Structure formats: structure tokens, C-alpha cells
Amino acid sequence: SQQGEEDPQALSIQEGENATMNCSYKTSINNLQWYRQNSGRGLVHLILIRSNEREKHSGRLRVTLDTSKKSSSLLITASRAADTASYFCATYYGGSQGNLIFGKGTKLSVKP
Amino acid sequence: EAGVTQSPTHLIKTRGQQATLRCSPISGHTSVYWYQQALGLGLQFLLWYDEGEERNRGNFPPRFSGRQFPNYSSELNVNALELEDSALYLCASSSIRGTEAFFGQGTRLTVV
């Protein structure tokens, strides 16, 4: 079963707007990661947020983590057409850090 | 520093044949993860290797197998190929269990 679930499944916005994607997970975690995948390519690691962190920034990306609600959000500010991609959250599941499990992803489309 | 490399980039096989996919992790990384991504779908966890041992496998039949070599590179074997095995196979590596995982560009397997 999936450990993380992203919401919404698809998001379409205009260039310059902000995009917010949410991720919920089921079990306790040590960290949560966000990835981007351009069509048919490998995944690009965006950011890792630890369970003792509430917010983390990287350029135009802002990630928040709420361990009490078992949820995280990824905000992309001032979006660009090049941000068009699928975005996934991932957490480690199981003992000894376990295996890395992904949600189903949010497909973001940024229109110029 | 070289990233995760996968070979071949594309592979075309006939139903019933065997496919071998290879992954070289980032230097110093000991954990390797394999995923299957069918067209338009999310990442399905296949196998996790760490320090030469298989640590966990996803819900896939035994004809999906693999191994990790002493230099931490890994091989995924798919026997008795079926049409439904056509997918993008992604490999990721991490330096320590439970930390950032980085992906290769994937192997596109087509079964005809």
C-alpha cells in the first residue's frame, strides 16, 4: 500500500501563480522527501524535511511538515512553465529506516 | 561527482524472455532501491538492497529478482517477461538508510 498520498492529483495554474501540493502519510516518520519528475524521466530530489522541522525553504520551494496531522505541503511560488512536472512525496516505511515509499503524485501544469 | 547511472536506457524484449537491468549508485552509497513505473502511474516499490543484502521487496512475483554486488552496484532481473512488465524501471541510491535518495534516469523496458 502507498505510504504517502498527494492531493490534488492534478493542478493547472497560470505562470506566476503559486502552486500548493499536499501529502498525507500513515505511519510515524524520521523525514519526508519531495521529488519532481518530468515526463518519462528520472526523479529529481527537491528537498528533505526532518520530523523535528516544521518548515524548510529552497529557492522558490517551501515545504511544511505537520507530524500531528501526518501531512506535508509543497509550495512553489511564482511558478514557471518549466515547473510543469509530476511531484511526489516519499517517506521511509518499516523497521531499520525501511524502504522508500512514494505517493501517487500531483501532476502540475503551468500555462504560459 | 557522478550521479546514479542506469543501463541500458531502453530495452526491447519479447514476451517470455529475460531482461537484466543495471544500476550504479553514487560513490559511497550503500543502499539501492528499485521501482517500477508503468505509463501514467506512480512508483511501485520493487526491491531494496543495503550492504549487499536484500532488505525488503514489494508486492511483485518471484520472477522479479536482483542482487547487489560488493561494489554496491545492483542488477534487476525479470524472468518470463509479460506484456504488463513494460514500464520505466527506476533505481535510486542513498548513503545511509533513511536519508536523501537520488535517482537515475531509468530504463524503459518494452515487452512485445
Side-chain angles (χ1 to χ4, degrees):
Chain A
S1 63
Q2 300 290 74
Q3 164 74 324
E5 294 287 342
E6 289 89 346
D7 164 54
Q9 290 187 353
L11 182 60
S12 182
I13 60 174
Q14 295 294 130
E15 214 168 20
E17 293 182 337
N18 295 342
T20 299
M21 288 157 270
N22 303 298
C23 166
S24 60
Y25 56 91
K26 297 176 184 175
T27 65
S28 60
I29 59 170
N30 289 329
N31 58 61
L32 183 144
Q33 302 179 67
W34 284 92
Y35 290 83
R36 183 187 76 231
Q37 184 181 35
N38 292 89
S39 181
R41 306 289 301 268
L43 274 71
V44 174
H45 187 272
L46 295 176
I47 201 164
L48 178 149
I49 185 166
R50 294 182 170 76
S51 59
N52 61 354
E53 297 175 310
R54 291 296 167 259
E55 188 171 310
K56 201 163 181 180
H57 296 255
S58 177
R60 293 184 296 112
L61 306 181
R62 173 178 166 253
V63 168
T64 61
L65 180 65
D66 186 335
T67 53
S68 66
K69 295 181 179 177
K70 292 188 169 58
S71 67
S72 174
S73 67
L74 169 67
L75 168 67
I76 304 174
T77 60
S79 62
R80 306 166 182 168
D83 294 328
T84 295
S86 291
Y87 292 82
F88 297 89
C89 67
T91 57
Y92 286 97
Y93 181 71
S96 299
Q97 298 300 327
N99 40 282
L100 188 60
I101 301 294
F102 285 77
K104 294 179 181 177
T106 293
K107 196 165 187 176
L108 174 65
S109 175
V110 182
K111 301 183 191 310
Chain B
E1 181 183 277
V4 178
T5 57
Q6 292 187 243
S7 63
T9 307
H10 293 87
L11 189 58
I12 300 175
K13 291 285 186 178
T14 303
R15 192 170 50 182
Q17 285 188 316
Q18 179 197 38
T20 298
L21 287 64
R22 295 181 176 83
C23 172
S24 292
I26 292 171
S27 178
H29 285 194
T30 60
S31 270
V32 170
Y33 306 85
W34 286 97
Y35 296 87
Q36 181 196 66
Q37 188 179 33
L39 192 63
L41 298 181
L43 280 76
Q44 298 298 315
F45 168 71
L46 262 168
L47 290 159
W48 168 36
Y49 292 96
D50 183 62
E51 296 281 357
E53 303 273 337
E54 181 180 303
R55 301 295 180 181
N56 209 342
R57 65 179 291 129
N59 189 24
F60 281 84
R63 57 191 187 82
F64 286 84
S65 65
R67 52 181 171 165
Q68 187 176 34
F69 299 99
N71 65 354
Y72 303 116
S73 67
S74 179
E75 192 175 89
L76 173 69
N77 294 294
V78 188
N79 294 320
L81 285 165
E82 300 178 1
L83 297 177
E84 309 84 80
D85 297 333
S86 294
L88 180 67
Y89 288 83
L90 292 160
C91 167
S93 73
S94 66
S95 59
I96 304 170
R97 294 179 190 180
T99 59
E100 287 97 333
F102 298 93
F103 279 79
Q105 286 301 302
T107 293
R108 173 75 61 186
L109 173 64
T110 302
V111 183
V112 297

